[in-house]
């Protein structure tokens, strides 16, 4: 499943630096707005220690991680909803993604111009949110105008949509993004064709100075990051502090050098690992594994997916002709020492169409078409 996370923010907050380190895609970087015009796309592997352990045990010919796509979208500015700074084009790019990674500047550097003259994370977030809400408001009002006459004449479907649109218009006018309006699943489904920007889940990526990279991970130790944490808590968003400069340097090092470099900085892993995992979590995704001598592979499904849906991620024939799944948990697989020992010890289960896949399941599908 090709899930996409759009990397957004004001100009000069470090979006392209972080994106380059994240994906090694080589997006152009410069100290001026609109350096990125077309969205750069990079495919990123999800860091997963379980996949490494399965591979070490089974020793397959190849190991394939699960992936996500990240899009580096050019910097938005105040007035983007009205076309400022090529805003309409950039807003169109955001509409295509499943989630938003909002890079927020949490460092002060006189050599890097701030588009508004001072570093203020909460104000910066508000600028982006306002532009996205204004764009959504225009889209919803247009749809509302198209159904309200039919709704007043008693058309049930039009009345249903008019009520949803009224609720959204009121919320946006009060400064509340769609994702925070408490809409029901049915109401959200009714809005799907609008691809609303503020309905998408948000991850705040706090770009910090290199001498504050470790402190930023601890609540209460970095005032600017704490500003973002407070705001994120109010809206149920996720926060991942990173240092773009450090991540850029890490991306050019070999594994051994990387470990020493991180240790010197008091860090246990690259910050971008946290960003990737947080984006994965934000989208409500889990991982299951298939294991064999040819290949150990991680697969992505949405949390709550049933076994046939998981089979369909591999191939539609697997879902269409699903018979059953053989399932063993990751922990049992490792403790027993592989699939056959797990089978012999009664840890491998036969599951049918109503089985809900768990994160870390090792699965084998039986099907017939």
């Amino acid at each position: 499943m090709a899930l996409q996370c759009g990397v957004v923010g004001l100009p000069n907050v470090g979006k392209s630096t972080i994106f380059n380190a994240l994906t090694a895609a080589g997006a152009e970087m410069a100290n001026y707005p609109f350096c990125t015009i077309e969205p750069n796309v990079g495919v990123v592997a999800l860091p997963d220690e379980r996949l490494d352990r399965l591979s070490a045990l089974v020793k397959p010919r190849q190991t394939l991680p699960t992936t996500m796509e990240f899009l580096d979208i050019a910097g938005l500015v105040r007035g983007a909803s009205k076309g400022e700074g090529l805003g309409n084009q950039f807003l169109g790019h955001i509409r295509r993604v499943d989630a938003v990674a909002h890079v927020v500047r949490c460092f002060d550097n006189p050599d890097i111009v701030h588009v508004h003259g001072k570093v203020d994370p909460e104000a910066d977030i508000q600028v982006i949110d306002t532009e996205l809400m204004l764009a959504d408001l225009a889209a919803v009002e247009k749809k509302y105008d198209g159904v309200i006459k039919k709704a007043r004449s008693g058309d049930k479907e039009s009345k249903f949509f008019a009520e949803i649109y009224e609720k959204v218009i009121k919320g946006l006018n009060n400064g509340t993004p769609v994702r925070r309006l408490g809409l029901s699943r049915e109401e959200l489904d009714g809005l799907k064709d609008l691809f609303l920007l503020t309905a998408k889940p948000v991850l705040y990526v706090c770009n910090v100075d290199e001498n504050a990279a470790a402190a930023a991970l601890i609540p209460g130790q970095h005032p600017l990051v704490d500003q973002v944490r407070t705001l994120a808590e109010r809206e149920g968003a996720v926060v991942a502090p990173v240092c773009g400069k450090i991540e850029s340097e890490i991306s050019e090092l070999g594994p051994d050098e990387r470990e020493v470099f991180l240790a010197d900085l008091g860090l246990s892993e690259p910050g971008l690992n946290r960003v990737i995992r947080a984006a994965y979590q934000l989208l409500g995704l889990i991982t299951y594994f298939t294991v064999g001598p040819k290949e150990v592979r991680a697969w992505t499904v949405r949390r709550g997916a049933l076994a046939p849906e998981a089979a369909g991620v591999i191939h539609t024939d697997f879902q269409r002709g699903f018979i059953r799944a053989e399932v063993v948990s990751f922990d049992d697989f490792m403790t027993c020492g592989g699939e056959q020992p797990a089978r012999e010890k009664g840890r491998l289960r036969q599951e049918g169409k109503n089985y809900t896949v768990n994160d870390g399941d090792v699965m084998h599908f039986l099907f017939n078409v």
Side-chain angles (χ1 to χ4, degrees), residues 136 140 160-172 176-192 194 196-200:
D136 280 353
V140 178
F160 168 75
F161 282 109
E163 288 173 355
I164 299 173
Y165 298 153
E166 285 170 1
K167 190 180 292 188
V168 172
I169 289 168
K170 181 180 178 182
L172 291 171
T176 305
V178 174
R179 62 181 174 273
R180 290 173 52 197
L181 290 177
L183 300 178
S184 68
R185 174 48 53 192
E186 187 181 19
E187 289 172 325
L188 288 171
D189 286 343
L191 294 168
K192 271 186 177 178
L194 293 177
L196 296 179
L197 305 169
T198 65
K200 300 177 189 298

Side-chain angles (χ1 to χ4, degrees), residues 294-361:
K294 291 184 179 179
E295 178 184 278
V296 170
R297 183 163 182 170
W299 302 88
T300 298
V301 290
R302 293 191 184 276
R303 188 174 298 280
L306 300 180
E309 297 173 62
V313 173
I314 299 176
H315 198 287
T316 52
D317 283 351
F318 283 29
Q319 182 169 3
R320 187 158 54 93
F322 180 89
I323 299 172
R324 67 179 182 275
E326 295 183 336
V327 185
V328 56
S329 71
F330 168 80
D331 288 340
D332 284 344
F333 190 98
M334 296 303 299
T335 301
C336 294
E339 182 179 315
Q340 190 55 37
R343 188 187 301 272
E344 292 168 358
K345 293 177 182 179
R347 296 295 186 180
L348 189 143
R349 313 182 307 277
Q350 306 293 321
E351 300 287 359
K353 293 182 177 180
N354 294 323
Y355 175 70
T356 301
V357 179
N358 291 308
D359 187 42
D361 278 348

Side-chain angles (χ1 to χ4, degrees), residues 16 33 37 44 118 143 147 155 247 260 296 339:
S16 293
I37 301 300
V44 179
K118 70 171 185 174
K143 292 289 282 188
V147 300
D155 182 80
E247 302 305 323
V260 173
V296 170
E339 182 179 315

Side-chain angles (χ1 to χ4, degrees), residues 223-241:
L224 294 177
V225 175
D226 286 338
Q227 266 190 47
V228 182
R229 283 196 178 101
T230 300
L231 185 148
E233 284 171 11
R234 290 201 300 265
E235 61 177 60
V238 181
V239 176

Side-chain angles (χ1 to χ4, degrees), residues 90-125:
F90 301 159
L91 291 169
H93 292 149
I94 302 172
R95 291 195 189 281
R96 291 162 25 194
V97 303
D98 300 286
V100 173
H102 184 164
V103 180
V104 185
R105 179 168 170 170
C106 293
F107 68 90
D108 201 1
N109 185 334
D111 295 328
I112 300 177
V113 178
H114 189 287
V115 70
H116 294 146
K118 70 171 185 174
V119 178
D120 185 340
E122 194 164 359
D124 290 353
I125 290 170

Side-chain angles (χ1 to χ4, degrees), residues 249-262:
E249 292 175 11
I250 289 173
S251 68
E252 297 176 0
L253 299 176
D256 294 339
E257 293 175 302
R258 188 178 303 164
E259 202 170 310
V260 173
F261 182 72
L262 286 168

